[in-house]
């Protein structure tokens, strides 16, 4: 009995975090997004946020209520997130314009840290996020017995 519950708290907590992520995507539905070499807004950005809302909500359900497809949903989430962020990291022009859009007064930031250093920090941050996704998927695989509980 104790063996079946291993990882339950961690996985259900992650499910809650995915529900919160879905809620954040709903809140930012009108925010512009870097996608396919440009900063997209309007219906394209809304579709992007809607896609991630559905993905995060599905992962949350799959983790909270131990569904066999929960691991597959997390795997698909890791694939989409990885592809999305790698495309972003490979396009320096889009990354620069997106960062300039996010920063209210870029001159102050660039006095402290240069654009190249900022690129390196953002790149490292996204690589760590991607590794975190895949580490979580690996953890779910190790705890896959959680998803077979009747």
């Amino acid at each position: 009995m104790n063996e079946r519950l291993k990882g339950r708290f961690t996985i259900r907590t992650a499910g809650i975090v995915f529900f919160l992520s879905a809620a954040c995507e709903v809140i930012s539905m009108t925010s512009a997004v870097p996608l396919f070499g440009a900063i997209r807004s309007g219906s394209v950005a809304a579709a992007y946020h809607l896609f991630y809302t559905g993905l995060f909500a599905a992962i949350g359900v799959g983790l909270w209520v131990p569904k066999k497809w929960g691991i597959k949903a997390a795997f698909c989430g890791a694939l989409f997130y990885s592809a999305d962020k790698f495309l972003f990291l490979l396009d320096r022009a889009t990354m620069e314009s997106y960062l300039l859009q996010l920063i209210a007064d870029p001159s102050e930031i660039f006095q402290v840290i240069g654009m190249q250093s900022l690129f390196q920090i953002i790149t490292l941050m996204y690589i760590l996020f991607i590794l975190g996704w895949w580490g979580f998927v690996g953890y779910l695989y190790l705890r896959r017995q959680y998803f077979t509980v009747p």
Side-chain angles (χ1 to χ4, degrees):
M1 180 74 172
N2 192 18
E3 185 64 31
R4 287 192 323 180
L5 299 178
K6 236 178 175 182
R8 181 177 188 266
F9 176 78
T10 304
I11 293 170
R12 291 188 90 186
T13 302
I16 292 170
V17 173
F18 276 105
F19 288 134
L20 291 173
S21 296
C24 288
E25 287 293 328
V26 169
I27 291 169
S28 63
M29 193 67 69
T30 58
S31 300
V33 294
L35 187 65
F36 302 125
I39 306 302
R40 312 287 180 179
S41 58
S43 60
V44 174
Y48 176 91
H49 289 296
L50 191 61
F51 171 77
Y52 273 106
T53 299
L55 182 64
F56 292 156
I59 294 170
V61 169
L63 298 179
W64 183 263
V65 182
K67 298 290 184 185
K68 290 184 180 183
W69 50 264
I71 295 175
K72 292 177 186 172
F75 179 79
C76 289
L79 277 177
F80 280 110
Y81 185 85
S82 298
D84 182 27
K85 297 311 171 198
F86 276 132
L87 286 173
F88 175 68
L89 292 175
L90 292 175
D91 189 359
R92 292 288 185 183
T94 302
M95 187 189 303
E96 182 176 352
S97 61
Y98 186 65
L99 290 174
L100 289 174
Q101 180 182 349
L102 290 177
I103 300 170
D105 187 7
S107 62
E108 290 180 11
I109 299 271
F110 296 137
Q111 287 176 356
V112 177
I113 186 170
M115 183 64 92
Q116 188 61 31
S117 296
L118 191 58
F119 281 153
Q120 290 174 348
I121 291 168
I122 297 296
T123 301
L124 178 62
M125 178 187 73
Y126 277 126
I127 289 172
L128 291 174
F129 284 165
I130 291 167
L131 290 174
W133 261 98
W134 287 107
F136 180 66
V137 169
Y139 174 79
L140 291 178
Y141 181 76
L142 291 174
R143 297 286 179 232
R144 63 189 175 273
Q145 72 276 5
Y146 167 81
F147 298 96
T148 59
V149 175

